[in-house]
Amino acid sequence: MGGDGIAYSETDFGGDDNSFNEMLLLVQDELALKPLMGDFGGRAGEGLNLEHLTPEEAAEFLWRRFASRIG
């Protein structure tokens, strides 16, 4: 978690590295999240409204990102 949102990184460079592959940000004036990077042609966002994710949908989106790397 950072000052701007919830960051997800697919690598671990250790130390003070603050790079990330995705960040979930709050939608302005709403209790919803949206990914900063989007889906980039992948399937992680399939069936989800990436402009307005509930906390459960945000967790599903990040899980799909994670699982796509191991499958």
Side-chain angles (χ1 to χ4, degrees):
M1 294 188 62
D4 294 331
I6 301 169
Y8 167 76
S9 179
E10 295 173 354
T11 59
D12 181 15
F13 293 116
D16 293 329
D17 179 46
N18 61 356
S19 64
F20 58 89
N21 294 85
E22 184 60 84
M23 181 174 285
L24 295 175
L25 304 172
L26 284 172
V27 175
Q28 187 173 354
D29 300 325
E30 295 185 49
L31 291 175
L33 298 161
K34 68 177 184 175
L36 178 65
M37 308 295 184
D39 204 14
F40 279 102
R43 299 185 67 186
E46 193 171 280
L48 300 172
N49 177 357
L50 295 182
E51 293 299 313
H52 192 276
L53 297 170
T54 65
E56 292 81 11
E57 291 168 334
E60 176 69 21
F61 176 75
L62 291 180
W63 173 254
R64 290 177 186 179
R65 290 281 312 251
F66 169 76
S68 71
R69 303 276 298 161
I70 59 174

